[in-house]
Amino acid sequence: MKLTYAQKFVGGMIGILGLSIAVNIGMITLAATSNDGLVTEHYYSNGLRYAEQRAREMDRPGWNVSIEAPTVAERTAPFVVTVSDHQHVPLTGATATLKLYRPTKAGYDQLVPLKETAPGRFEAQVKLPLVGLWDTTVAIEKGKQAYDHLERIRVEAPRS
C-alpha cells in the first residue's frame, strides 16, 4: 500500500507534535528534579539576621579594603586582603575570615581564616576548583568594630 502525499504530511505533523510533547515533558521533569544550587541552607535564620547584617554594612568603620584574588582555577594561590583605616594607616590587630561561594552552584563554598602576615595584610592559600564567577565576603573584626567586604571575582581556566 502506497501512502499519499496528504497521509505523509499528516503523519509528519503528528510526529513533530509528539516529539515536541516528549521533549517538553523531559525538560519539565529535569527542571523539577535537578538542584540548581540556589537554595540557601538555613534561609529562615539568615532572613532574621538580614537587618543586623545590613546595619553592619551601613555602619562601615571607614576602612579601605582591597583584595588580590586568584585568577586561575584548579591551582592553589594566595588570596591577599589589605586593610587600612580612613587615614590609610594599615589596620593591625584585626581578625579576618574569607568566605568564597559560587552564586550558581552549591557544594563548593569555602570558609577560610586569613592570617595577618604584615600590618594590614591578611593572606591565605586557596584553591578555586571551578571556572567562572565567585562571590567573596571578607569579614573583618577589630574590637567592637566589624565590616563585611563583598566582591565578585572571575576565575579563568588554566592554560596548558
Side-chain angles (χ1 to χ4, degrees):
M1 172 175 168
K2 190 170 185 177
L3 296 176
T4 66
Y5 178 75
Q7 290 171 328
K8 290 179 186 177
F9 180 77
V10 170
M13 294 302 288
I14 291 173
I16 290 172
L17 180 63
L19 179 64
S20 175
I21 290 171
V23 168
N24 282 321
I25 289 173
M27 295 299 281
I28 291 169
T29 303
L30 182 63
T33 59
S34 64
N35 179 12
D36 60 6
L38 297 177
V39 177
T40 303
E41 290 184 31
H42 313 294
Y43 62 90
Y44 182 74
S45 59
N46 288 346
L48 291 176
R49 287 194 314 265
Y50 177 77
E52 174 187 319
Q53 291 169 348
R54 189 74 180 131
R56 186 174 174 181
E57 289 174 15
M58 298 306 287
D59 190 30
R60 182 177 180 176
W63 296 337
N64 300 308
V65 180
S66 67
I67 67 169
E68 297 171 32
T71 57
V72 179
E74 302 173 5
R75 294 190 183 146
T76 302
F79 194 103
V80 180
V81 178
T82 307
V83 185
S84 61
D85 64 11
H86 63 283
Q87 297 175 337
H88 301 290
V89 176
L91 188 70
T92 59
T95 60
T97 305
L98 170 66
K99 181 178 180 183
L100 297 161
Y101 53 98
R102 291 284 297 206
T104 58
K105 193 163 193 169
Y108 293 96
D109 297 356
Q110 298 178 35
L111 186 61
V112 181
L114 295 168
K115 183 179 177 184
E116 188 171 9
T117 58
R121 182 181 172 96
F122 300 87
E123 289 186 48
Q125 295 291 321
V126 297
K127 182 177 182 181
L128 301 174
L130 298 177
V131 174
L133 296 176
W134 286 80
D135 285 338
T136 66
T137 302
V138 180
I140 306 161
E141 295 183 11
K142 182 176 180 180
K144 292 186 179 185
Q145 291 183 315
Y147 173 62
D148 290 342
H149 178 76
L150 303 141
E151 196 166 325
R152 181 169 277 185
I153 61 172
R154 179 180 300 276
V155 178
E156 298 177 358
R159 295 185 180 151
S160 322

